Amino acid sequence: MLTPKITSTREVLNLDGLWRFDLDAAVGEEPWRATLRTTREAPVPASYNDLFPDPRFRDHVGVAWYQRTVRVPHGWRGTRVMLRLDAATHEAAVYVDDDLVVTHVGGYTPFEVDITGHVTAGGEFRLTIGVDNRLTPSSIPPGSVDTDSLGRPRQRYMHDFFNYGGLARSVSIQSVPAERIDDITVTTEIDGTSGLVSYDLVTTDLTPGAEVRLRVLTADGTVVGASSGSRGVVEIPDVRLWRPGAAYLYTVVAEIVRDGEVRDSYPLAVGVRTVEVRGNRVLINGEPFYFTGFGKHEDSPVRGKGHDPAYLVHDFELMRWTGANSFRTSHYPYAEEVLDYADRQGIVVIGEAAAVGLNLAIAAGYLGQTEVTTFGPRGAFGDTTRDAHAAHLRELIARDKNHPSIVMWSIANEPDSRDPGARDYFAPLVSLTRELDPTRPVTYANMILAQHDTDVIADLFDVVSINRYYGWYQDTNDLAAAEAHLEADLRGWEASFHKPIIVSEFGADAIAGLHAAVDQPWSEDYQTALVAMYQRVFDRIDSVVGEHVWAFADFQAMPITQRVDGNKKGVFTRDRRPKAVAHALRARWTSLSQAKNPE
């Protein structure tokens, strides 16, 4: 699915702004059949939970309704009109006037529908979207809904971040030709001083005489290669590579031409680079790469998970200030604008699926249970969940496959990889990921309950990624013991798998402004000391090729007693003020950028 773009043959009408809005209980039955009976409005894109000082919205479980009137530009006569939602968390039903035109399950990937037969160029239509925030055992991420003692529905889930709902990304309509390019897949290789761009175009049925053409342009618009046909390879002499910290993007222009006229045209930014795992190293363009950076969240005050270009730019500038060269899209696909920006800025990304919470053993630990089954026929997550997981991976890779910034896929965060059923669950998903994209390594983020000698799936993956909290959840307030246990843990993984190791999460909560002369959890000083201890260990383990601190910024979490106004493990506060650890990271990472990633 191609991102909507304005070209010589396509137009886009963005529908962001204020929409009529209310919850299912307030709008009556079949609210799409008339103007919503409400004076309340909500912005798109934004989560709705924090907009109104009312717990009915903050804690809502179920469907929320958005509605607006849309006028189709009169110049769109004779074209196809597509409606696209960049995301709807977590399930959507979309109505044009009285007609249901599309449904979609999955809160972090886009979907679109041809509404040409429902609208008229120059005319208006009523667009109504019902967005359901409920998670179930067969959704990705999973959850469950039960009823409390007062008869109210309550959402339960096994991930830490708050379950924001609504239309957190853009909505648009676009005009496209009937004869058009529907998809482009690009992969790149390096051959000496040349770059090889392989492409595969998907088009609608073409009329006789129509021809597919492709050109490759430099950043200044100079044509450096061309080809014809739906598949092919274009060689770029004296290629400029896309490199971490030094992005260079070519533009691939795909066209359908008939009778000398361009019937459709679509430009795609392409970075020429390679990624591979060799021994215990991750190589980008044949050179070892050491990951420095963060796990992040799409999270900000008021907006929740709503995409905001101001926060996008500011967050990247803060990452650049710390010396970070990478981040993981924990724990779901981010807005595509984030990846476009990473492509242009030369920031490396590990793209992660929304498969978080596939671990009943975490809850068992809290409740004192000793035996639980997460996967398989007797577990909570079986074939139905895996099918949903596979569908999500297909949509994720279909959307993000062409981004040079993405160098690795993470297909799950902290699953119960000690459970014997985990292998039957994950082996087909790893195979699917490699089938969909054979050019990138595959990983998942391991949780401490599965050690190197009890994990049953790590051998399936190319890179070992582990989340560890020695000194916080284990060895609390004892950094000496934490250091010894962390080193033993990492050496066990190194000896067992001989693969690159990324420590994909480590850190500690810290209250901004809290200081202590001696070790004291929740102080900025303890957070700084803990992170420094981890880094000392990393420098002693040859196979460690990356360090991603958890987390970039404080974020809103589920309302439990361990979380006072959210998770406070951020290097920055939720409104992006640096804690003391940010300065320590800046000192280390700016020096590492030369020592471990020389130009």
Side-chain angles (χ1 to χ4, degrees), residues 300-379:
S300 61
V302 182
R303 300 165 183 81
K305 291 199 175 305
H307 175 67
D308 186 308
Y311 269 101
L312 166 64
V313 171
H314 189 51
D315 285 359
F316 270 71
E317 289 302 312
L318 290 176
M319 284 193 287
R320 191 193 313 278
W321 176 82
T322 64
N325 61 24
S326 57
F327 66 90
R328 175 171 62 123
T329 66
S330 44
H331 301 295
Y332 40 82
Y334 291 178
E336 193 167 8
E337 292 91 337
V338 177
L339 303 178
D340 290 337
Y341 199 68
D343 291 344
R344 297 194 298 271
Q345 297 297 313
I347 296 294
V348 170
V349 180
I350 298 174
E352 186 160 274
V356 55
L358 296 168
N359 196 330
L360 298 186
I362 297 175
Y366 284 133
L367 298 174
Q369 297 171 251
T370 56
E371 291 191 19
V372 295
T373 302
T374 298
F375 298 105
R378 297 186 299 110

Side-chain angles (χ1 to χ4, degrees), residues 179-467:
E179 196 171 36
R180 65 184 179 275
I181 300 157
D182 265 348
D183 195 24
I184 305 174
T185 301
V186 169
T187 58
T188 61
E189 298 177 72
I190 302 169
D191 183 10
T193 60
S194 295
L196 303 179
V197 178
S198 300
Y199 68 91
D200 187 349
L201 306 183
V202 177
T203 67
T204 58
D205 291 336
L206 302 183
T207 55
E211 181 183 4
V212 177
R213 298 178 183 174
L214 184 135
R215 294 174 290 137
V216 179
L217 283 64
T218 63
D220 64 5
T222 301
V223 176
V224 290
S227 184
S228 61
S230 296
R231 296 178 182 85
V233 180
V234 177
E235 180 178 356
I236 304 174
D238 300 317
V239 67
R240 288 187 61 178
L241 299 180
W242 187 97
R243 300 180 184 276
Y248 187 86
L249 295 174
Y250 292 88
T251 300
V252 167
V253 179
E255 296 176 332
I256 296 174
V257 180
R258 180 162 51 85
D259 299 329
E261 180 183 350
V262 175
R263 301 291 175 158
D264 191 25
S265 177
Y266 190 88
L268 178 71
V270 171
V272 178
R273 60 100 182 98
T274 60
V275 182
E276 64 175 307
V277 171
R278 189 184 304 164
N280 65 351
R281 294 291 183 264
V282 175
L283 307 181
I284 300 179
N285 300 331
E287 300 175 354
F289 182 75
Y290 189 86
F291 296 78
T292 59
F294 305 95
K296 289 181 88 273
H297 267 300
E298 289 186 310
D299 179 277
S300 61
V302 182
R303 300 165 183 81
K305 291 199 175 305
H307 175 67
D308 186 308
Y311 269 101
L312 166 64
V313 171
H314 189 51
D315 285 359
F316 270 71
E317 289 302 312
L318 290 176
M319 284 193 287
R320 191 193 313 278
W321 176 82
T322 64
N325 61 24
S326 57
F327 66 90
R328 175 171 62 123
T329 66
S330 44
H331 301 295
Y332 40 82
Y334 291 178
E336 193 167 8
E337 292 91 337
V338 177
L339 303 178
D340 290 337
Y341 199 68
D343 291 344
R344 297 194 298 271
Q345 297 297 313
I347 296 294
V348 170
V349 180
I350 298 174
E352 186 160 274
V356 55
L358 296 168
N359 196 330
L360 298 186
I362 297 175
Y366 284 133
L367 298 174
Q369 297 171 251
T370 56
E371 291 191 19
V372 295
T373 302
T374 298
F375 298 105
R378 297 186 299 110
F381 310 121
D383 292 347
T384 303
T385 307
R386 188 178 58 205
D387 289 346
H389 196 158
H392 172 76
L393 287 170
R394 289 188 182 94
E395 292 190 1
L396 164 64
I397 294 172
R399 191 196 73 165
D400 294 345
K401 60 190 173 184
N402 294 320
H403 288 284
S405 58
I406 293 186
V407 301
M408 194 180 308
W409 300 116
S410 172
I411 68 170
N413 179 71
E414 296 189 349
D416 188 356
S417 57
R418 183 180 56 176
D419 187 317
R423 194 170 185 90
D424 287 341
Y425 180 95
F426 276 101
L429 297 177
V430 176
S431 297
L432 173 64
T433 304
R434 290 202 175 103
E435 176 188 338
L436 294 170
D437 180 10
T439 71
R440 292 178 174 91
V442 185
T443 190
Y444 81 99
N446 165 277
M447 192 258 187
I448 195 171
L449 292 178
Q451 291 284 309
H452 65 90
D453 55 349
T454 59
D455 187 292
V456 299
I457 65 172
D459 64 294
L460 300 171
F461 294 83
D462 303 299
V463 175
V464 172
S465 297
I466 63 174
N467 299 348

